[in-house]
Amino acid sequence: MKWLPGVSLAASAALLSWAIHALIPAIPLLTAAVALGIIVGQIPAARHPLNGVLAPGLSVASKQFMRLGIVLLGLKLSLVDILGLGWLSIVMIVAIVLLTFVGTIGLGRAFGLPGHQPLLIATGFSICGASAIGAMSGVVKAKDEETATPIALVTLCGTLAIAVLPLLWHPLGLSNEQFGQWVGASVHDVGQVVATAQIAGPAALAVAIVVKLTRVLMLAPMVAVAAGVERRKHGAAVELATRTGGAAPEAAARPPIVPLFVAGFLAAVLARTLLPVPESVLEVADWVQTALLAMALFGLGSAVRLGELVRTGWRAIIVGLLSWALIAALAYAAVQLA
């Protein structure tokens, strides 16, 4: 039961996040959860318990709860709704994700970001924000310090989008529906998309959600490819160790070809598409998924140290801002071409 204190704290934070969202609907619940985690992580008196008695539970929340939440996220996706966008729109959305992903990795490497940071920033900015970062970090076995900076950056830029994009709506000459498409294709977290697009009305919000969830669907293949790359690296390490007589990595450390939670996510998408899932089941699943992700994102946010980010992470901040500008520009160009 070592996990109980940390999970209890994460659950309390999720409830507080819900209360904040209820009082101020413009603040997405999951964004509030990440922000609360970041705030708690900056309190000097909280550092010792965060690294001690709370650590096992926060680890459970940020890893296991994250994966369960991603699986349930699949129930939001119907392939029928996605196909309703039309092939041109789908191809453009996929292109935006891939170009942003590759471009951000290139920027991260050009600025010399360490370890898995370029991959995690690229995943968060191109697909679905902090949730995607949490999913990818688990697959590539990223360290907490590698995950913390991307989480902080994608939360910052996603929150800025809620304020900045509506200011550009009319100056860019976008119709309500075009604004919804732009928001869905460029804003990171689903909650942030809702908060940004709803200002243009229900039609803009509807198209923004479908476009955004199409991007979310890209999480499965991207994570699966990353798992495959890690698997090959592990195999190469074993082969090298065998040839040189060194210590080989443990077989258990080799990642699966397709992570179990990715398979579960795809199964949930197929279930939503092919089966008559009752509305009551979808509502309960949505509530549970939101609660799990809120607890997970609080756990991830609590590992962020803003002081260290400001002192040593200026390159990551630049990469994050450039990636944010890149996906916004690509999404705007796609809207104009559609």
Side-chain angles (χ1 to χ4, degrees):
M1 299 290 283
K2 291 182 179 179
W3 49 266
L4 187 57
V7 168
S8 299
L9 176 64
S12 300
L15 285 173
L16 181 55
S17 301
W18 174 82
I20 292 171
H21 174 65
L23 289 172
I24 312 174
I27 300 178
L29 190 153
L30 297 184
T31 299
V34 179
L36 283 175
I38 292 174
I39 291 170
V40 170
Q42 312 321 303
I43 301 173
R47 300 283 174 84
H48 181 69
L50 286 175
N51 296 326
V53 66
L54 297 173
L58 291 176
S59 178
V60 167
S62 61
K63 293 181 173 66
Q64 279 81 1
F65 288 4
M66 172 65 72
R67 293 172 183 177
L68 289 173
I70 293 293
V71 170
L72 292 176
L73 183 60
L75 289 175
K76 289 181 177 288
L77 287 163
S78 169
L79 296 179
V80 174
D81 293 337
I82 291 172
L83 291 175
L85 291 172
W87 287 108
L88 178 60
S89 294
I90 293 172
V91 169
M92 285 186 174
I93 293 167
V94 172
I96 290 167
V97 170
L98 293 178
L99 289 172
T100 304
F101 185 83
V102 173
T104 303
I105 288 180
L107 286 168
R109 291 176 177 170
F111 278 85
L113 299 188
H116 292 101
Q117 274 194 9
L119 172 64
L120 297 179
I121 293 174
T123 302
F125 278 79
S126 64
I127 304 175
C128 57
S131 301
I133 293 171
M136 185 66 81
S137 66
V139 169
V140 300
K141 309 298 182 186
K143 300 174 182 177
D144 288 345
E145 54 268 28
E146 290 178 318
T147 305
T149 295
I151 289 286
L153 291 176
V154 81
T155 302
L156 170 64
C157 291
T159 303
L160 287 175
I162 298 173
V164 173
L165 266 59
L167 296 178
L168 299 175
W169 169 20
H170 293 302
L172 290 177
L174 298 174
S175 67
N176 291 7
E177 185 173 323
Q178 286 178 321
F179 179 73
Q181 292 173 336
W182 185 42
V183 170
S186 62
V187 178
H188 314 312
D189 178 77
V190 176
Q192 293 164 346
V193 167
V194 172
T196 309
Q198 55 85 28
I199 193 171
L205 178 58
V207 71
I209 291 174
V210 176
V211 171
K212 174 59 192 173
L213 292 179
T214 304
R215 285 171 60 201
V216 172
L217 190 60
M218 293 290 290
L219 180 62
M222 302 292 258
V223 169
V225 169
V229 171
E230 288 298 306
R231 188 178 177 87
R232 288 186 62 184
K233 288 181 180 178
H234 183 278
V238 170
E239 184 179 348
L240 178 62
T242 302
R243 266 188 273 164
T244 59
E250 295 180 11
R254 189 171 187 175
I257 296 174
V258 178
L260 184 60
F261 76 92
V262 172
F265 171 81
L266 293 174
V269 173
L270 291 176
R272 175 66 190 275
T273 304
L274 302 175
L275 301 176
V277 183
E279 191 64 33
S280 58
V281 173
L282 293 177
E283 289 177 1
V284 171
D286 181 63
W287 184 88
V288 174
Q289 173 248 321
T290 301
L292 288 170
L293 289 183
M295 288 188 281
L297 294 177
F298 173 82
L300 289 171
S302 67
V304 174
R305 300 293 178 264
L306 292 179
E308 295 176 13
L309 177 61
V310 171
R311 288 194 302 272
T312 64
W314 63 270
R315 292 175 298 175
I317 294 172
I318 293 175
V319 170
L321 292 173
L322 288 175
S323 180
W324 182 39
L326 173 62
I327 194 170
L330 289 172
Y332 177 74
V335 167
Q336 296 300 311
L337 291 174

